Amino acid sequence: MSESNRWWGDPDGWTNNDPDLRRAGQAPFRYTAQVLANLAHRGLYTLRGPRRVGKSVEVKKAIEALIIGGVDPRLVVYMSVDGWQADDLGRLVDAATVFQAPGHRYWFIDEITSITDGWPHRIKWLRDNDSRFGDDTVVLTGSSAADLGTAIGTLLGRRGDAVSPDLVLLPMGFRTFASLRAESRDEAQPPKDMGPLQVADLGTDRLSEAAYEMVPWLHALVMAWEAYLSTGGFPQAVTDHIIAGAGDSMLSGSLLDLVHRDALSQTDWSRVQTGAFLQRLAGGLGSPVNRSTMANDLHTSANTVQRRIAALREAFVLWPCHRSQHLQPQLRAQEKLYFIDPVFTRLVPDRPADSSLLSEQQLGMALMRGLERDEPGSYLEFDRVLHHRNKSGTEVDFVGAGLCGCAIESKYVDARWRRATRTLRDSPWRGIVATRSVLDLEDPDLMAVPAALLAWLIDT
């Protein structure tokens, strides 16, 4: 216990020796998503996100902030429970409280979704029956959307005073990436008080006003966007980009192992088959998924493909963009699939994804992150960012109720961007063509706005 909770014995110097914070401190930037700021009294939180995205670092920074804020260090308990069994959680409460004085405790239980024998019911029992745990503030982290999603129902009514108890940590957004990149190069960047806009603002005049103000930084943002498309937002990849100007092949290799070992652990596929599946998904970015065709290509069944897609979605590797029907997801129609970060398109390097498709993918993620910022926990509903099929058969990349009457078509070019306008004119909404660098605000109902500018304005 004392090894995992070094602040008990060294409340002033523990951060210098903590492995997670020490690794984060070696990065050429200081970054925190602030996802665990302002924890409520008696709140029970879940924090979900992909592996290697920095959940443990965010937990340690939250612990640091609590201690700096005056919380008795002995009332803060952290434990990584990877490989534990559910009954071990009760033993954790017994062991921790031996060392503690009475008072309101903060429990941080990391990677709880690795427990496979019913941890939600054990947490529920402790919350209901053990006063040493029931009235405390608790944070549960994990890398499985399915397991934590199931727990939400089990723990209903036991979340204390938490207003937004279900949190998601996603890879770093473009706005933060561009800022860190500019700081490392000592380059000028837009004022930090310019934006961010809410996603709903895209359907209003606020977008054109903000876009006009951003013109002096347009070229720099386009360059940063293209760097982002090849780097992504995982902290290790951003570190390597800033230091060496390239993505991290070691990160890609470790993520492929994690996808194969964790996300697809219940399958009998080899690592080569996992790689072929990811390559096939990367080749289909931006197109509705035909499971039967994919199954034939991979020499498997459509049901197997469906299960593998669900596993990758639950492990925060993919996100589905469902077809819209009256701005609600049409779940029986073919969805489009995107990765949550460009790094997943590089796990098998033989066939890198096209930059125009990556721009479409990351613009969709910018919308998802913006909506998640405004409504924590909404990311996992997958009902805010949809695609639309017009009566003419053409498809609009992104629509949704949260876009407030706005439709977005990604066309990552400098010329011939007007070819996309027919698709948008066929739709019932105000249109935005997300170009490479063309900015045309003349027609408020059909504007051209660079993808980099859009993403900077709405992303985190």
Side-chain angles (χ1 to χ4, degrees), residues 370-387:
L371 291 165
E372 173 67 22
R373 176 193 61 224
D374 299 336
E375 188 179 351
S378 64
Y379 169 84
L380 290 167
E381 300 297 328
F382 301 120
D383 62 353
R384 269 64 167 184
V385 180
L386 311 170
H387 73 275

Side-chain angles (χ1 to χ4, degrees), residues 238-255:
V238 178
T239 293
D240 286 302
H241 169 73
I242 289 176
I243 292 174
D248 179 22
S249 60
M250 292 183 63
L251 175 65
S252 297
S254 64
L255 284 175

Side-chain angles (χ1 to χ4, degrees), residues 324-329 383-384 386 388 399-402 405 429:
S324 168
Q325 185 175 41
H326 308 301
L327 297 181
Q328 295 296 317
D383 62 353
R384 269 64 167 184
L386 311 170
H388 173 73
V399 300
W429 302 288

Side-chain angles (χ1 to χ4, degrees), residues 267-301:
T267 75
D268 56 358
W269 276 6
S270 68
R271 193 174 187 274
V272 171
Q273 287 174 301
T274 296
F277 183 46
L278 292 171
Q279 187 177 68
R280 180 63 176 77
L281 289 168
L285 286 180
S287 300
V289 175
N290 187 311
R291 293 173 181 77
S292 297
T293 300
M294 187 179 293
N296 288 335
D297 293 344
L298 297 170
H299 306 290
T300 187
S301 69

Side-chain angles (χ1 to χ4, degrees), residues 25 39 122 127 155 163 211 252 268 350 391 454:
L39 295 175
R122 188 58 178 160
R127 201 70 170 160
L155 299 174
V163 176
S252 297
D268 56 358
D350 294 343
K391 292 180 179 180
L454 274 176

Side-chain angles (χ1 to χ4, degrees), residues 252-265:
S252 297
S254 64
L255 284 175
L256 178 56
D257 288 336
L258 286 171
V259 168
H260 178 63
R261 189 180 72 241
D262 292 352
L264 301 180
S265 61

Side-chain angles (χ1 to χ4, degrees), residues 135-409:
D135 292 327
D136 290 343
T137 297
V138 180
V139 176
L140 310 173
T141 83
S143 304
S144 169
D147 288 350
L148 281 173
T150 300
I152 289 171
T154 303
L155 299 174
L156 193 66
R158 297 163 179 86
R159 312 303 293 274
D161 299 330
V163 176
S164 299
D166 300 310
L167 308 170
V168 177
L169 181 60
L170 296 168
M172 187 185 299
F174 174 63
R175 188 183 179 93
T176 301
F177 173 88
S179 177
L180 295 177
R181 184 176 186 268
E183 289 172 3
S184 73
R185 295 165 174 244
D186 198 24
E187 295 176 346
Q189 55 181 312
K192 293 186 183 298
D193 61 355
M194 189 180 291
L197 301 182
Q198 292 186 328
V199 172
D201 291 330
L202 298 181
T204 71
D205 291 338
R206 289 198 65 192
L207 172 60
S208 57
E209 294 167 0
Y212 180 78
E213 292 180 13
M214 293 290 295
V215 168
W217 298 278
L218 178 54
H219 176 73
L221 287 176
V222 171
M223 295 300 100
W225 180 248
E226 295 187 341
Y228 185 62
L229 298 184
S230 64
T231 303
F234 278 84
Q236 182 60 55
V238 178
T239 293
D240 286 302
H241 169 73
I242 289 176
I243 292 174
D248 179 22
S249 60
M250 292 183 63
L251 175 65
S252 297
S254 64
L255 284 175
L256 178 56
D257 288 336
L258 286 171
V259 168
H260 178 63
R261 189 180 72 241
D262 292 352
L264 301 180
S265 61
Q266 303 301 315
T267 75
D268 56 358
W269 276 6
S270 68
R271 193 174 187 274
V272 171
Q273 287 174 301
T274 296
F277 183 46
L278 292 171
Q279 187 177 68
R280 180 63 176 77
L281 289 168
L285 286 180
S287 300
V289 175
N290 187 311
R291 293 173 181 77
S292 297
T293 300
M294 187 179 293
N296 288 335
D297 293 344
L298 297 170
H299 306 290
T300 187
S301 69
N303 285 337
T304 297
V305 167
Q306 174 63 18
R307 290 195 300 272
R308 303 299 188 266
I309 288 173
L312 293 182
R313 183 187 67 243
E314 292 161 3
F316 294 89
V317 175
L318 295 173
W319 65 277
C321 184
H322 294 290
R323 186 189 297 177
S324 168
Q325 185 175 41
H326 308 301
L327 297 181
Q328 295 296 317
Q330 190 176 349
L331 299 180
R332 292 184 177 274
Q334 293 177 344
E335 77 269 39
K336 297 196 292 184
L337 294 174
Y338 297 101
F339 292 104
I340 70 161
D341 191 85
V343 71
F344 289 108
T345 69
R346 303 198 310 271
L347 297 191
V348 184
D350 294 343
R351 198 178 299 173
D354 182 86
S355 61
S356 64
L357 294 175
L358 286 175
S359 183
E360 179 181 323
Q361 170 183 280
Q362 293 310 114
L363 185 56
M365 274 302 301
L367 292 168
M368 296 283 276
R369 263 189 297 262
L371 291 165
E372 173 67 22
R373 176 193 61 224
D374 299 336
E375 188 179 351
S378 64
Y379 169 84
L380 290 167
E381 300 297 328
F382 301 120
D383 62 353
R384 269 64 167 184
V385 180
L386 311 170
H387 73 275
H388 173 73
R389 175 168 288 182
N390 293 319
K391 292 180 179 180
S392 62
T394 57
E395 291 188 342
V396 179
D397 290 328
F398 301 122
V399 300
L403 276 68
C404 290
C406 175
I408 300 175
E409 179 71 9

Side-chain angles (χ1 to χ4, degrees), residues 80-124:
S80 176
V81 297
D82 204 346
W84 284 30
Q85 294 182 331
D87 285 345
D88 294 331
L89 296 170
R91 299 186 185 98
L92 170 64
V93 175
D94 291 337
T97 52
V98 168
F99 299 100
Q100 294 175 323
H104 182 83
R105 300 178 184 86
Y106 292 83
W107 301 85
F108 295 87
I109 304 177
D110 208 2
E111 291 299 344
I112 197 167
T113 54
S114 67
I115 298 176
T116 59
D117 62 337
W119 66 264
H121 292 284
R122 188 58 178 160
I123 292 290
K124 174 185 176 183

